[in-house]
Amino acid sequence: MHTILTGDRPTGPLHLGHYVGSLRNRVALQSRHRQFVMIADLQALTDTEPAKVRSNVLEVAYDYLAVGLDPDQSTLFIQSQIPELAELTMHFLNLVSLARLERNPTVKEEIRQRGLERDVPAGFLAYPVSQAADIAAFKATLVPVGADQQPMIEQTNEIVRRFNALTGSATLVECAALIPEQGRLPGLDGSAKMGKSLGNALALSASPDEIRAAVKRMYTDRNHLRVQDPGRVEGNVVFTYLDAFDTDTQKVAELKDHYRRGGVADTAVKRRLEDVLQATLAPVRARRAQYALDHEGVRRMLQEGCARARVVASQTLRDVRQALGLEYFADTPGKVA
Ligand code: TRP
């Protein structure tokens, strides 16, 4: 059995990229492992206004519940409510160089996308350290994330090894990333990554009309002009999505063969994809609406999750403080910490 820790930034509603990249895996894993799923509000605050972060925390919780994360099997919690994570980040910041932070390819890419080159908040550059603390505080051994998060896992393990070496202890444990075989879901426009800020995302909460419009504007093979022309399947976004969502793989394989030979209209492939997406998202949307009606219940569920998560993180922080020699008054009545 693994201990799993994973999470998402509450900067907007979760989308199909999250679903394929990690949500699906988390739902499959929750019955067999000890899973913690974190709404990373502190991480979101490294580059997003507080009001926006605040208003998206519950939205992400609805998304989690709607896709089938079960609070009886997974502990859902909010990062900021676990102050031990901030303390562990502080200790970890001493174990990583500025040059190493600047080399992290995911952060580099995000800095470029956001146009932050001239003015990177220190907290943004250091968020992989805070993410390492999230993972280490739960002694997680498995982290289900999208492919773009692989460098974070490597950086986490470097820090964990350094901490253990520095303190001559085995306090912290290394983790492995669990990245879906399927690979990253491209954006609706065919670009490498789906992102709300990139304007190419389809939210899990999308309406039937939004789903229809999204499929309609998807790219296919730009050289497939007439129905009878042979078409390309590789790099064709509509087929990539069919691979990700259509459970009838036999039928998809036949459709691909036919499309390659020629004789299949793009509209026919799109119709199939639209049906599949409508069928996938309809129950998610319905469940989400139910949970949104019970926002008090969801808030209470999160509060209980935070309490459970805090017990685990504070135990690790006791070990960490001891390893660093910071327990000055541990055996004194009325101790400070
Ligand atoms: N970086 C992740 C994202 O962009 C969110 C996250 C924060 C996370 N802490 C984590 C993911 C720990 C996995 C483990 O969505």
Side-chain angles (χ1 to χ4, degrees):
M1 187 165 98
H2 279 290
T3 297
I4 298 173
L5 181 285
T6 135
D8 302 277
R9 298 177 197 180
T11 53
L14 300 184
H15 51 64
L16 290 182
H18 294 112
Y19 187 69
V20 171
S22 61
L23 291 174
R24 228 168 20 183
N25 267 339
R26 301 177 195 174
V27 173
L29 292 165
Q30 65 182 346
S31 60
R32 281 176 290 126
H33 303 280
R34 180 169 172 245
Q35 177 162 264
F36 297 88
V37 182
M38 179 182 78
I39 303 179
D41 59 343
L42 292 182
Q43 189 175 112
L45 285 172
T46 62
D47 78 330
T48 308
E49 310 117 64
K52 189 169 170 194
V53 173
R54 162 97 200 183
S55 67
N56 277 302
V57 167
L58 266 185
E59 299 299 321
V60 170
Y62 299 148
D63 285 330
Y64 283 165
L65 295 166
V67 297
L69 286 174
D70 172 359
D72 291 331
Q73 301 192 76
S74 297
T75 298
L76 311 183
F77 71 99
I78 308 171
Q79 187 182 28
S80 61
Q81 304 310 297
I82 318 296
E84 287 78 7
L85 299 178
E87 182 183 339
L88 190 55
T89 302
M90 184 95 194
H91 299 311
F92 281 3
L93 280 168
N94 299 324
L95 306 179
V96 58
S97 71
L98 198 51
R100 176 66 180 90
L101 288 173
E102 285 169 343
R103 267 201 316 275
N104 184 308
T106 306
V107 176
K108 254 189 178 159
E109 172 64 13
E110 286 170 330
I111 287 172
R112 200 188 55 73
Q113 269 173 15
R114 290 165 173 69
L116 288 175
E117 288 95 339
R118 300 170 139 269
D119 219 359
V120 189
F124 188 84
L125 196 63
Y127 90 71
V129 179
S130 140
Q131 186 154 334
D134 301 334
I135 296 168
F138 289 86
K139 300 191 173 169
T141 51
L142 195 65
V143 186
V145 280
D148 63 314
Q149 296 289 306
Q150 177 72 49
M152 304 300 173
I153 306 302
E154 283 162 22
Q155 210 164 356
T156 298
N157 287 335
E158 284 173 30
I159 292 172
V160 161
R161 284 193 294 269
R162 280 199 153 205
F163 182 91
N164 288 345
L166 180 73
T167 57
S169 73
T171 307
L172 301 178
V173 299
E174 293 188 44
C175 65
L178 181 71
I179 291 165
E181 268 170 52
Q182 231 263 301
R184 179 195 280 182
L185 191 72
L188 297 172
D189 58 359
S191 65
K193 186 179 175 178
M194 177 175 280
K196 183 165 191 287
S197 57
L198 305 172
N200 63 8
L202 187 62
L204 293 170
S205 52
S207 69
D209 281 347
E210 286 168 332
I211 296 169
R212 186 170 316 119
V215 174
K216 205 164 164 192
R217 66 178 248 248
M218 262 184 196
Y219 289 30
T220 53
D221 169 7
R222 68 173 84 226
N223 296 317
H224 185 241
L225 298 175
R226 288 163 308 180
V227 175
Q228 64 269 31
D229 290 344
R232 267 182 69 88
V233 164
E234 288 68 34
N236 185 322
V237 188
V238 182
F239 279 105
T240 308
Y241 275 59
L242 279 176
D243 282 335
F245 294 101
D246 196 330
T247 50
D248 190 347
T249 49
Q250 175 75 32
K251 189 86 200 168
V252 174
E254 281 166 27
L255 191 63
K256 282 181 178 172
D257 279 344
H258 196 176
Y259 190 86
R260 285 196 184 98
R261 288 197 307 272
V264 178
D266 285 336
T267 48
V269 190
K270 285 192 169 188
R271 201 173 316 121
R272 181 169 183 97
L273 177 61
E274 197 205 317
D275 290 346
V276 167
L277 288 181
Q278 297 286 11
T280 306
L281 292 181
V284 174
R285 192 169 51 240
R287 279 197 298 268
R288 198 181 193 285
Q290 279 307 112
Y291 285 113
L293 285 176
D294 181 25
H295 47 88
E296 254 322 297
V298 175
R299 240 171 44 84
R300 265 199 310 279
M301 176 281 290
L302 286 173
Q303 193 175 5
E304 280 163 28
C306 290
R308 284 210 299 269
R310 191 151 186 210
V311 170
V312 178
S314 57
Q315 180 57 56
T316 304
L317 262 289
R318 267 195 291 278
D319 300 345
V320 163
R321 285 177 152 244
Q322 191 174 27
L324 290 170
L326 300 176
E327 292 206 304
Y328 304 110
F329 310 114
D331 53 3
T332 316
K335 64 182 175 140
V336 176

